[in-house]
Structure formats: C-alpha cells, structure tokens
Amino acid sequence: MPTDIKTSSSTDEPPEQPKVKTVIRRSLARLLAVQAMYEMEMAGGNIDKIVKDYVNHRIYSPIKEDGNLDFSRVDKKYFEALMIGCYKIIPDIDMRVQNSLKNRTLSQIEAILLIILRLGIYEGLYMKKTKKLIVIDEYVDLTKSFFDRDEPAFVNAILDKVVLERTS
C-alpha cells in the first residue's frame, strides 16, 4: 500500500536550524556578561576561568518548554570580547563613572548596577560593531530586567554622558 509519508533515513540531513539575528545573539551575550561579571564580583575568581566556564558549560541548550532563554544562541565571541575587554580596563571605566556621578561614590552603587554601567561604557566606547545609541538602549533594557524604579533612568543618564561624551 503506497503512502505519502516520508520517512527519514540515516542519509537525510537534519532540518536547518533557524538563523538567530545577530541582535538577539548579542543581547544574550550582554545578559550573560552581566551575570558572569556579577558572579566574579561576588565570589571572586579568575576572568579567564569564568569566561571559559560560561562558554563551555553555561551557554547551553535551546529554549525549554518553561520559557528559559536559549543560551545556545549566544554570540560567544562577543561575550568573550565584552568580558575580557571590560575587565582589563575596569579602573578606567570606574573613573569615568565616578566623574559622571553627582553626590554619590562608586561604593554607593549596587554591584549589579555598576556592572551594567561598566559593560555599557566598555561596549559603547571600545567595541565599534554596534552604534552607541543601540548600546545605551540595550543596557537600559537590561537594567529594567533587574530593577523597576529609578535605576534604568540612572543608567541611561550615566551612559548617555559617558558613552556619548556629553557634559552637563
């Protein structure tokens, strides 16, 4: 009895995976960089070890039924560049943040907020692949994932001032 059902054989190629836009891959890289930097800030650790751990063990599996993010689609090279590049110049970035603050010191900024600022400033000033305004928007959106009060506006103001090199 003939059938129209196609069966797979060992020679069939797997279905093509949908291409994930670079924007999404980089957004995921930014989120993971924030998480990895936070882990390093809280627990200490070697930057090379943490980057290697994230690339080899934490960037994993597609979106699960429970809605978890698809970290297998992360732009790994972008993640590595963000982490290592930012880490190397933290003192310079911290000085830029401190110089842009009014009536606050770095020690008064929550760790996750400072990490978001560091990564945003690094990417906006030193990584030329993304337009500065897009970088600012991305980090403001990331801030909204962690905070729901004045923090996104604070991040926007600091990044705008530092990344766009504006004076007030």
Side-chain angles (χ1 to χ4, degrees):
M1 176 176 202
T3 128
D4 292 331
I5 298 174
K6 204 174 183 184
T7 59
S8 66
S9 69
S10 60
T11 59
D12 287 344
E13 292 184 26
E16 188 175 314
Q17 293 289 328
K19 293 189 178 186
V20 178
K21 291 183 178 183
T22 300
V23 172
I24 295 169
R25 297 179 75 224
R26 287 187 181 164
S27 293
L28 291 171
R30 290 178 187 105
L31 174 60
L32 278 183
V34 168
Q35 292 175 347
M37 284 285 200
Y38 184 79
E39 178 181 324
M40 197 169 66
E41 185 82 17
M42 294 296 109
N46 176 287
I47 183 72
D48 295 323
K49 183 181 181 309
I50 288 175
V51 168
K52 185 178 179 181
D53 179 51
Y54 269 75
V55 169
N56 292 333
H57 303 291
R58 302 208 185 177
I59 297 175
Y60 57 87
S61 72
I63 291 178
K64 298 178 178 150
E65 290 178 22
D66 64 3
N68 286 334
L69 292 174
D70 182 359
F71 288 120
S72 68
R73 311 283 183 171
V74 167
D75 185 332
K76 293 176 186 177
K77 291 193 183 305
Y78 210 77
F79 167 78
E80 290 171 348
L82 272 172
M83 289 291 296
I84 293 168
C86 181
Y87 180 78
K88 286 180 180 179
I89 62 168
I90 284 175
D92 176 57
I93 293 171
D94 285 354
M95 182 189 70
R96 290 173 186 262
V97 173
Q98 184 61 61
N99 290 341
S100 66
L101 294 174
K102 296 178 183 176
N103 305 320
R104 278 174 111 170
T105 63
L106 288 178
S107 63
Q108 294 172 310
I109 299 174
E110 290 185 54
I112 195 79
L113 204 54
L114 182 56
I115 289 163
I116 290 168
L117 288 170
R118 285 173 175 165
L119 288 164
I121 290 168
Y122 175 74
E123 187 175 358
L125 293 179
Y126 299 99
M127 295 181 76
K128 305 298 183 190
K129 291 185 176 190
T130 308
K131 293 180 181 182
K132 292 179 178 192
L133 290 175
I134 292 172
V135 169
I136 292 169
D137 283 346
E138 284 280 323
Y139 285 96
V140 169
D141 285 345
L142 257 175
T143 306
K144 291 175 184 175
S145 299
F146 296 98
F147 301 97
D148 61 357
R149 292 183 166 243
D150 299 330
E151 291 86 353
F154 173 75
V155 166
N156 187 56
I158 299 296
L159 292 181
D160 187 61
K161 188 172 186 177
V162 176
V163 172
L164 299 178
E165 300 180 40
R166 296 186 178 168
T167 57
S168 53

